[in-house]
Amino acid sequence: MSTIHAPRRRIAGVAAAVLAVTAAGVVTATAQQRTADAAEPAACDGVLFDDFAYDSSSDPDIAARGWTVRTNAGGPGVPGAAWPASNVSFPTVDGSQGLQLRAATDGTGGGTSHAELFHQQKFFEGTYAARVKFADEPVSGTDGDHLVETFFTITPLDAPMDPNYGEIDFEYLPNGGWGETGPIFYQTTWKTYQEEPWIADNIHTSQRESFDGWHDLVFTVADGHVKYYVDGQLFADHSGKYYPETPMSINFNLWFIDTAAHVGSGTSVYHQQVDYVLHTAGEVLSPAEVNALVAGYRADGTEHTDTVGTGGGECPTNPPTDPPTDPTDPPTDPTDPPGEADCDDSPNWAFASSYTEGQTVVHERSANGDPSGPKSGDGPHLWRANWWTQGSEPGWTPQWTDLGSC
């Protein structure tokens, strides 16, 4: 690895990059305009830039720089799946070294593995950016699995419907899932949620089209708004109660929603690549300014810098005053946990059938998220569709609300 330069080198590199990009007619904002448009600096003001120039998942610099390679079992995704460190690597892809996540499945929980790399919980307002390569097809094996390719921030959920929870997601599903049958790209901002019974309090925007290949992903958190940009274009603007209130960690993971869509008994392997990640605390940058800043670091030979504070509560914990209070299409208010339900007039759930919002079905969820596998032993329950869905099993996906046992 080359020498890591001190943060003081940021100014010279960025200035050179901005001049170069401006000459090409891409950046028109001046440094003074950027300062005027920026959010108030957070208490942990600083910048994180990482070019992912690591030797392997066991490189000691990873932990020294605040990253964690996940190895513990658990959600999200297929029950029983592993999260091995070997699924995180740093190869050269398309001429540039970066982060690579690997996920594989043979259609069983024991034969499924996911990948995740995450940073410390110390990031709040400002700009977040990453260049990510999404994949529509596996590198080997049959296609069609319900896969989630991501770049997101998150605050841990300390209790069901935890009011201090926060999450900001880019999630790409190349083969659908969660009731979708084709590629869909979500931008989702969370207030909170509950696992059992499933209650989701979030707002999302989506595009039902392929995003195969490299994309510049940017979201900004400032002035009561979370704004999502893809390849320089504004895709979503979420506000109101969904605005985060606590410091978050930066995360990348690759995982399977379920094994229901796996074809055959062979193993399918998928990859997601990340070229770099950037966060500027308390400073709102346009996508063009992000590109200029990254170019400046690279021109300066900087592979990593982190001047963001320690987090864990050191950042502001209150949103800006008077944020918008009327978000578009807020979810319905959570209901009490289900009791005993009347199931006589509802059909049995069928994988191939489609259901619209409000329709009810009877189903005993599977033990491992595989509808063709063993049952959970919970007995039949009545489920209500939250929106259009097909192929998403009640009890394992947020498309369904549990109305109680039959």
Side-chain angles (χ1 to χ4, degrees):
M1 299 181 200
S2 62
T3 302
I4 307 303
H5 295 289
R8 62 184 175 83
R9 301 296 301 277
R10 173 186 178 192
I11 303 301
V14 173
V18 170
L19 287 174
V21 177
T22 303
V26 178
V27 175
T28 57
T30 64
Q32 290 81 6
Q33 287 172 322
R34 183 172 69 241
T35 301
D37 293 338
E40 286 296 318
C44 58
D45 196 356
V47 61
L48 166 71
F49 171 73
D50 203 323
D51 222 6
F52 296 118
Y54 301 106
D55 294 329
S56 69
S57 60
S58 59
D59 190 324
D61 281 346
I62 294 175
R65 294 173 182 172
W67 292 103
T68 297
V69 178
R70 177 178 173 175
T71 57
N72 61 292
V78 176
W83 298 77
S86 58
N87 274 10
V88 175
S89 60
F90 302 91
T92 297
V93 175
D94 297 333
S96 178
Q97 185 183 5
L99 166 66
Q100 178 170 279
L101 304 176
R102 176 185 186 273
T105 185
D106 64 1
T108 69
T112 299
S113 64
H114 302 149
E116 182 167 14
L117 181 73
F118 61 94
H119 209 283
Q120 296 168 328
Q121 184 190 343
K122 64 175 185 177
F123 305 98
F124 188 50
E125 293 180 303
T127 303
Y128 299 80
R131 183 164 173 79
V132 177
K133 187 177 185 180
F134 294 134
D136 278 358
E137 298 178 354
V139 294
S140 63
T142 57
D143 194 10
D145 296 286
H146 292 155
L147 185 74
V148 184
E149 307 174 28
T150 73
F151 166 41
F152 64 103
T153 60
I154 193 169
T155 302
L157 186 79
D158 289 336
M161 305 305 289
D162 180 3
N164 292 322
Y165 179 76
E167 185 175 348
I168 302 171
D169 295 337
F170 278 113
E171 293 178 312
Y172 180 54
L173 284 60
N175 296 312
W178 294 331
E180 297 290 333
T181 57
I184 186 167
F185 190 21
Y186 287 105
Q187 301 85 48
T188 308
T189 311
W190 291 76
K191 173 60 179 176
T192 189
Y193 75 96
Q194 174 179 292
E195 281 280 1
E196 293 290 344
W198 178 256
I199 298 172
D201 192 354
N202 63 38
I203 185 171
H204 74 268
T205 304
S206 61
Q207 302 80 39
R208 291 176 173 83
E209 60 185 277
S210 171
F211 281 83
D212 186 58
W214 287 104
H215 296 281
D216 294 321
L217 309 181
V218 175
F219 61 86
T220 60
V221 181
D223 300 325
H225 289 258
V226 178
K227 297 182 179 181
Y228 298 80
Y229 299 84
V230 181
D231 299 329
Q233 301 299 311
L234 179 64
F235 270 39
D237 184 346
H238 300 160
S239 58
K241 69 175 183 177
Y242 304 102
Y243 192 82
E245 300 176 63
T246 53
M248 300 168 285
S249 62
I250 294 175
N251 299 248
F252 299 93
N253 63 18
L254 183 66
W255 52 281
F256 297 99
I257 298 172
D258 52 45
T259 59
H262 187 73
V263 178
S265 58
T267 298
S268 297
V269 179
Y270 296 81
H271 287 168
Q272 174 187 333
Q273 281 91 20
V274 184
D275 186 28
Y276 72 85
V277 66
L278 172 76
H279 170 67
T280 58
E283 184 178 26
V284 175
L285 303 181
S286 70
E289 289 169 329
V290 167
N291 290 340
L293 182 55
V294 172
Y297 280 128
R298 287 177 164 170
D300 210 26
T302 301
E303 293 175 348
H304 173 269
T305 186
D306 185 0
T307 58
V308 181
T310 58
E314 297 299 321
C315 294
T317 57
N318 294 317
T321 57
D322 300 325
T325 56
D326 296 317
T328 304
D329 296 328
T332 56
D333 292 334
T335 57
D336 293 331
E340 187 171 336
D342 183 359
C343 305
D344 293 342
D345 296 328
S346 299
N348 291 327
W349 175 77
F351 180 86
S353 298
S354 61
Y355 303 92
T356 57
E357 180 181 357
Q359 285 188 285
T360 57
V361 297
V362 175
H363 179 67
E364 179 179 354
R365 69 174 185 167
S366 63
N368 300 307
D370 179 359
S372 63
K375 299 295 185 181
S376 63
D378 296 340
H381 279 227
L382 184 65
W383 305 87
R384 182 180 62 236
N386 296 323
W387 52 83
W388 186 95
T389 179
Q390 182 182 40
S392 83
E393 184 188 6
W396 282 106
T397 57
Q399 278 77 6
W400 298 96
T401 294
D402 186 359
L403 301 180
S405 59
C406 294

